[in-house]
Amino acid sequence: MSAGFNDAAWPNAAAYPYSGLITAQIGPSVRVREDLELDAKTVTVYDGVSEQIEGVQHGVIHVISQKPGGDGQVILEKGQTAIFDMGQNFAGWARIQFLAGQADTIVKLRYAEMLNDNKGLISRGNDGPEGSIYTKSLRTAQASDYYIANASLRPQTYHPSHTFHGFRYVEVTASADITIDSVSGMVVTSVQRDAGLIETSNKDVNQLYSNIRWGQYSNYISVPTDCPQRDERQGWGADTQVFSIAGMYNAESKAFLTKWMQDMRDSQLQNGAYTDVAPYSGWAKEKLTRTGGKEDFGWTDAGVIVPYNIYKMSGDKTIIEENYASMKDFMDRFMANTDKLGGKHGYGDWLGFETNYTDKDVTTLHAISYFAWDALMMAEMAEAIGETADAEKYKGVYEEEKALYIEKNVNDDGSLRRAEQATCLFALKCNLLPNEASFEKVRGQLLDNIERNGDRLQTGFLGTAVIMQTLTEIGCSDVAYKLLLQHDMPSWLYSVDQGATTIWERWNSYTKQNGFGPVDMNSFNHYAYGVVAEWMYSYMAGMMYDKENAGWKHFTLAPHPNQALTFVNGSYDSPYGRITSSWKYENNAFIYQTVVPANTSATIKVPVEAGK
């Protein structure tokens, strides 16, 4: 609008009735983390393709130049392509600084997590020549930015600000010659401040920990998304609940998850169920309505698990009070009307390797386990806020679910009829067994299963969330360490060996041997399997919130060392100050050091036989 414009003919603004509740912002803002900004590690310029074989391979890019990212300007001619490798998968955008030879030059940026490999062999899932960006896993997402130069021979800087991408690689092309001064990666996240740190003597474990942290940066953006790159970015309940404690160890996440619980309450269905995805609108509503899913166990249970975990990690009962009526609605209307079978069974132990992870008999047992677990958490939360009658009611629900589980899956000798890893884990974790003899039987079944599978886990999103903690609680931390340090697939370090810089959706999303996994669902930046960080903090380093009273006013320091690692350093910024817990082996002796913040106390449990 120009100065002096006459708006006399404009009508007055129309009043619009609004019945919603207007509140102050809940949770942290999304912002650029300047301390995490990335410089390009390498830049490759290419023109054309060679070694193409129709129907067999896409060929290999013809490289004109390749050099370190900070090694001077990049001359990009029309028809050429530059690929900047940021060295790290993350969420955000690229900032490009360049000089255009002429005004109105169109500069196009495309984003990708991976590069095509091995001569672009189609049998390996490649969608282009070796060295070019791989975008098939983005599905319908275009992941592209365009900028039109506003002048010639003048330095210009561009980055988007109303979108974000998940990527490691930035492809740059232009409609005319340009000179690129730099391309840098700007990290966008709701993680305002890191709270914890883990460091070990094993470089691969340290890379795994880094991958977990970057996965959280990338997926804690306004809502806890499952992935930041493809046409999805949804707040899936299972991903959120399994990672919630690890997320609170890593960063100040209480406000972020509290806000997401508002989304869960807003999305709660008329039958009392929480939806698998929150916020429940747009893509999520269309997809879940079409596929018949809305209230699957492990996903819908997040409405109870997340408030419980926030309470345990903070000691703040407000989170219970804010969600109590909603959680009661879930338990007393939806769950109470499922014939004791819990949520729907569509997803199962998602992407697990053992049997069919949606096997009806096994998913029924998992759903009963979750129902029992929900009841235990509800009883504890009810007790915490003085709702003693409800506490007794939910203890009764737990006993009913336990009895049903025993009826369906426990043999006369105490062993389990179905003894997949996840089934054993939930039976042990939730104490769904009739006696100590049965506990020992199932403990043995679990250990036999792990050994039979070459000391490898076979679990998916749900089973992986509890495997390390449960093994340690039943006195098998040595087995947990075998899983942690395993390099064969499936394992955490397998993806590290394949070059991962974030946590992947699948244990084998990409392999050097076989190439890319199923294109319809293959994210290279998920965070659910990053739940192992919870075990790293609370059991490996040994920093555990007070199980009896919640929070960190009093806490436990009980490291579980293993001589497969020579040292572990852990720290966590609790609500009362920084806790440190570090151990090492020196001359075959176990040495432990810790710092307990002022005005707090800790129960310290040192393993007396650790040095032998």
Side-chain angles (χ1 to χ4, degrees), residues 538-551:
S538 55
Y539 292 92
M540 184 174 74
M543 299 177 291
M544 173 69 80
Y545 55 81
D546 191 331
K547 285 188 174 183
E548 299 301 320
N549 298 302

PDB file of all heavy atoms in Angstrom, residues 538-551:
ATOM      1  N   SER A 538      20.051 -43.814  33.492  1.00  0.00           N
ATOM      2  CA  SER A 538      19.522 -44.283  34.777  1.00  0.00           C
ATOM      3  C   SER A 538      20.152 -45.572  35.273  1.00  0.00           C
ATOM      4  O   SER A 538      20.151 -45.834  36.485  1.00  0.00           O
ATOM      5  CB  SER A 538      17.997 -44.461  34.674  1.00  0.00           C
ATOM      6  OG  SER A 538      17.658 -45.317  33.601  1.00  0.00           O
ATOM      7  N   TYR A 539      20.714 -46.383  34.374  1.00  0.00           N
ATOM      8  CA  TYR A 539      21.314 -47.644  34.805  1.00  0.00           C
ATOM      9  C   TYR A 539      22.809 -47.706  34.513  1.00  0.00           C
ATOM     10  O   TYR A 539      23.596 -48.045  35.394  1.00  0.00           O
ATOM     11  CB  TYR A 539      20.601 -48.825  34.139  1.00  0.00           C
ATOM     12  CG  TYR A 539      19.182 -48.987  34.622  1.00  0.00           C
ATOM     13  CD1 TYR A 539      18.119 -48.372  33.959  1.00  0.00           C
ATOM     14  CD2 TYR A 539      18.897 -49.750  35.746  1.00  0.00           C
ATOM     15  CE1 TYR A 539      16.816 -48.519  34.405  1.00  0.00           C
ATOM     16  CE2 TYR A 539      17.599 -49.905  36.207  1.00  0.00           C
ATOM     17  CZ  TYR A 539      16.564 -49.283  35.527  1.00  0.00           C
ATOM     18  OH  TYR A 539      15.290 -49.423  35.991  1.00  0.00           O
ATOM     19  N   MET A 540      23.234 -47.412  33.307  1.00  0.00           N
ATOM     20  CA  MET A 540      24.668 -47.449  33.002  1.00  0.00           C
ATOM     21  C   MET A 540      25.414 -46.415  33.842  1.00  0.00           C
ATOM     22  O   MET A 540      26.366 -46.754  34.557  1.00  0.00           O
ATOM     23  CB  MET A 540      24.899 -47.187  31.515  1.00  0.00           C
ATOM     24  CG  MET A 540      26.360 -47.308  31.092  1.00  0.00           C
ATOM     25  SD  MET A 540      26.575 -47.161  29.300  1.00  0.00           S
ATOM     26  CE  MET A 540      26.311 -45.388  29.090  1.00  0.00           C
ATOM     27  N   ALA A 541      24.989 -45.149  33.781  1.00  0.00           N
ATOM     28  CA  ALA A 541      25.586 -44.119  34.638  1.00  0.00           C
ATOM     29  C   ALA A 541      25.004 -44.166  36.050  1.00  0.00           C
ATOM     30  O   ALA A 541      25.659 -43.752  37.009  1.00  0.00           O
ATOM     31  CB  ALA A 541      25.379 -42.735  34.031  1.00  0.00           C
ATOM     32  N   GLY A 542      23.752 -44.639  36.173  1.00  0.00           N
ATOM     33  CA  GLY A 542      23.174 -44.888  37.491  1.00  0.00           C
ATOM     34  C   GLY A 542      22.450 -43.735  38.131  1.00  0.00           C
ATOM     35  O   GLY A 542      22.252 -43.733  39.348  1.00  0.00           O
ATOM     36  N   MET A 543      22.004 -42.741  37.350  1.00  0.00           N
ATOM     37  CA  MET A 543      21.277 -41.594  37.912  1.00  0.00           C
ATOM     38  C   MET A 543      19.783 -41.839  37.755  1.00  0.00           C
ATOM     39  O   MET A 543      19.236 -41.746  36.655  1.00  0.00           O
ATOM     40  CB  MET A 543      21.688 -40.305  37.185  1.00  0.00           C
ATOM     41  CG  MET A 543      23.165 -39.979  37.310  1.00  0.00           C
ATOM     42  SD  MET A 543      23.643 -38.495  36.357  1.00  0.00           S
ATOM     43  CE  MET A 543      23.445 -39.096  34.667  1.00  0.00           C
ATOM     44  N   MET A 544      19.098 -42.141  38.848  1.00  0.00           N
ATOM     45  CA  MET A 544      17.688 -42.527  38.795  1.00  0.00           C
ATOM     46  C   MET A 544      16.858 -41.648  39.719  1.00  0.00           C
ATOM     47  O   MET A 544      17.220 -41.429  40.872  1.00  0.00           O
ATOM     48  CB  MET A 544      17.533 -43.992  39.204  1.00  0.00           C
ATOM     49  CG  MET A 544      16.096 -44.463  39.356  1.00  0.00           C
ATOM     50  SD  MET A 544      15.176 -44.559  37.802  1.00  0.00           S
ATOM     51  CE  MET A 544      15.766 -46.129  37.171  1.00  0.00           C
ATOM     52  N   TYR A 545      15.731 -41.141  39.205  1.00  0.00           N
ATOM     53  CA  TYR A 545      14.795 -40.391  40.041  1.00  0.00           C
ATOM     54  C   TYR A 545      14.284 -41.282  41.165  1.00  0.00           C
ATOM     55  O   TYR A 545      14.413 -42.508  41.118  1.00  0.00           O
ATOM     56  CB  TYR A 545      13.634 -39.868  39.197  1.00  0.00           C
ATOM     57  CG  TYR A 545      12.899 -40.942  38.420  1.00  0.00           C
ATOM     58  CD1 TYR A 545      11.942 -41.741  39.027  1.00  0.00           C
ATOM     59  CD2 TYR A 545      13.180 -41.168  37.077  1.00  0.00           C
ATOM     60  CE1 TYR A 545      11.280 -42.738  38.331  1.00  0.00           C
ATOM     61  CE2 TYR A 545      12.523 -42.158  36.364  1.00  0.00           C
ATOM     62  CZ  TYR A 545      11.570 -42.938  37.001  1.00  0.00           C
ATOM     63  OH  TYR A 545      10.929 -43.931  36.313  1.00  0.00           O
ATOM     64  N   ASP A 546      13.687 -40.679  42.168  1.00  0.00           N
ATOM     65  CA  ASP A 546      13.197 -41.410  43.332  1.00  0.00           C
ATOM     66  C   ASP A 546      11.960 -42.216  42.941  1.00  0.00           C
ATOM     67  O   ASP A 546      10.900 -41.654  42.670  1.00  0.00           O
ATOM     68  CB  ASP A 546      12.856 -40.433  44.463  1.00  0.00           C
ATOM     69  CG  ASP A 546      12.586 -41.149  45.780  1.00  0.00           C
ATOM     70  OD1 ASP A 546      12.122 -42.303  45.747  1.00  0.00           O
ATOM     71  OD2 ASP A 546      12.834 -40.547  46.832  1.00  0.00           O
ATOM     72  N   LYS A 547      12.072 -43.517  42.896  1.00  0.00           N
ATOM     73  CA  LYS A 547      10.947 -44.356  42.484  1.00  0.00           C
ATOM     74  C   LYS A 547       9.787 -44.306  43.473  1.00  0.00           C
ATOM     75  O   LYS A 547       8.629 -44.476  43.092  1.00  0.00           O
ATOM     76  CB  LYS A 547      11.412 -45.804  42.319  1.00  0.00           C
ATOM     77  CG  LYS A 547      12.221 -46.061  41.059  1.00  0.00           C
ATOM     78  CD  LYS A 547      12.455 -47.552  40.885  1.00  0.00           C
ATOM     79  CE  LYS A 547      13.129 -47.843  39.555  1.00  0.00           C
ATOM     80  NZ  LYS A 547      13.307 -49.304  39.336  1.00  0.00           N
ATOM     81  N   GLU A 548      10.113 -44.072  44.736  1.00  0.00           N
ATOM     82  CA  GLU A 548       9.069 -44.103  45.762  1.00  0.00           C
ATOM     83  C   GLU A 548       8.317 -42.787  45.874  1.00  0.00           C
ATOM     84  O   GLU A 548       7.094 -42.768  46.073  1.00  0.00           O
ATOM     85  CB  GLU A 548       9.688 -44.459  47.122  1.00  0.00           C
ATOM     86  CG  GLU A 548      10.355 -45.824  47.154  1.00  0.00           C
ATOM     87  CD  GLU A 548       9.398 -46.951  46.814  1.00  0.00           C
ATOM     88  OE1 GLU A 548       8.235 -46.901  47.262  1.00  0.00           O
ATOM     89  OE2 GLU A 548       9.818 -47.888  46.106  1.00  0.00           O
ATOM     90  N   ASN A 549       9.026 -41.670  45.733  1.00  0.00           N
ATOM     91  CA  ASN A 549       8.390 -40.372  45.964  1.00  0.00           C
ATOM     92  C   ASN A 549       8.375 -39.451  44.742  1.00  0.00           C
ATOM     93  O   ASN A 549       7.772 -38.394  44.789  1.00  0.00           O
ATOM     94  CB  ASN A 549       9.108 -39.651  47.113  1.00  0.00           C
ATOM     95  CG  ASN A 549       9.003 -40.424  48.409  1.00  0.00           C
ATOM     96  OD1 ASN A 549       7.917 -40.711  48.885  1.00  0.00           O
ATOM     97  ND2 ASN A 549      10.149 -40.795  48.971  1.00  0.00           N
ATOM     98  N   ALA A 550       9.021 -39.830  43.677  1.00  0.00           N
ATOM     99  CA  ALA A 550       9.086 -39.063  42.426  1.00  0.00           C
ATOM    100  C   ALA A 550       9.968 -37.838  42.574  1.00  0.00           C
ATOM    101  O   ALA A 550      10.083 -37.238  43.648  1.00  0.00           O
ATOM    102  CB  ALA A 550       7.701 -38.659  41.928  1.00  0.00           C
ATOM    103  N   GLY A 551      10.582 -37.451  41.464  1.00  0.00           N
ATOM    104  CA  GLY A 551      11.391 -36.249  41.437  1.00  0.00           C
ATOM    105  C   GLY A 551      12.823 -36.491  41.888  1.00  0.00           C
ATOM    106  O   GLY A 551      13.264 -37.624  42.089  1.00  0.00           O
TER     107      GLY A 551
END
